[in-house]
Amino acid sequence: MRRLILMRHAQAADHAATDPGSDAARPLSARGRRDAEAAGRLLAQRREAPALALVSTAQRTRDTWQALCAGMGATPEVWFDRTLYDAGPPAVVELLAAVEAGVQSVLVVGHNPTISIAASAFSDGQAAAEHETVLADGMPSAAMAWFDVPVQWEDVNARRLRLTGVDVPRD
């Protein structure tokens, strides 16, 4: 069984220091760094370090990735892709379709509303109600939605995956 983890980036600063008008340049806040590192520790504790990470090119997602790696004590293969910043849920589906069949686990680090919408759409609706509610309400910063993937990566689409849990790591 393959594993997919969809993660919303950790809490970002209100403004970018170098370009106050740029949303993409906003870094993580101090709390965001701590929460992302806590998420990495959770991945390590569960032995769920991904084989591959797909990460938006925005600064806050890159910072989330770095803190996750620090918490995991590992640096898995990563693809940085701009479409995860502004293209919506179809970008997640397209990127997953490009993942090699032998890859057993993928982590996607992106933004809302894309991550929450994709997570809700992927779920087969059979998960615990409290997990489905978190997705429907919009995943909070640093939240991770865990899915069992019974299909090939190229076949990931709406209502095909089993949502097995939602975590909101805080430090």
Side-chain angles (χ1 to χ4, degrees):
M1 183 74 66
R2 290 174 181 78
R3 170 70 83 185
L4 173 64
I5 305 165
L6 296 180
M7 180 181 187
R8 181 181 176 195
H9 63 77
Q11 184 185 65
D14 291 335
H15 304 288
T18 56
D19 185 0
S22 173
D23 180 66
R26 290 190 303 139
L28 288 185
S29 66
R31 182 187 127 198
R33 285 191 187 283
R34 290 190 309 269
D35 292 348
E37 204 165 314
R41 287 191 302 272
L42 179 63
L43 288 167
Q45 179 183 33
R46 292 185 179 174
R47 293 184 171 86
E48 293 273 4
L52 173 66
L54 309 175
V55 180
S56 161
T57 56
Q59 188 62 51
R60 61 191 174 275
T61 49
R62 287 176 173 271
D63 291 348
T64 297
W65 174 242
Q66 288 178 338
L68 274 167
C69 290
M72 284 188 292
T75 305
E77 180 182 356
V78 61
W79 297 350
F80 293 101
D81 196 289
R82 182 169 171 34
T83 60
L84 288 172
Y85 176 67
D86 58 7
V92 176
V93 173
E94 288 177 26
L95 286 169
L96 288 171
V99 173
E100 292 181 17
V103 174
Q104 291 300 303
S105 59
V106 175
L107 167 70
V108 178
V109 182
H111 309 266
N112 264 356
T114 298
I115 291 296
S116 291
I117 293 169
S120 289
F122 288 160
S123 176
D124 64 7
Q126 301 301 308
E130 63 268 16
H131 298 319
E132 297 284 354
T133 299
V134 172
L135 303 186
D137 290 346
M139 292 171 58
S141 63
M144 296 186 290
W146 305 73
F147 293 91
D148 285 343
V149 181
V151 297
Q152 297 292 325
W153 293 115
E154 63 193 17
D155 297 323
V156 169
N157 216 320
R159 309 289 175 235
R160 304 287 307 266
L161 312 182
R162 174 64 44 96
L163 176 66
T164 59
V166 177
D167 288 293
V168 184
R170 296 287 185 242
D171 184 53

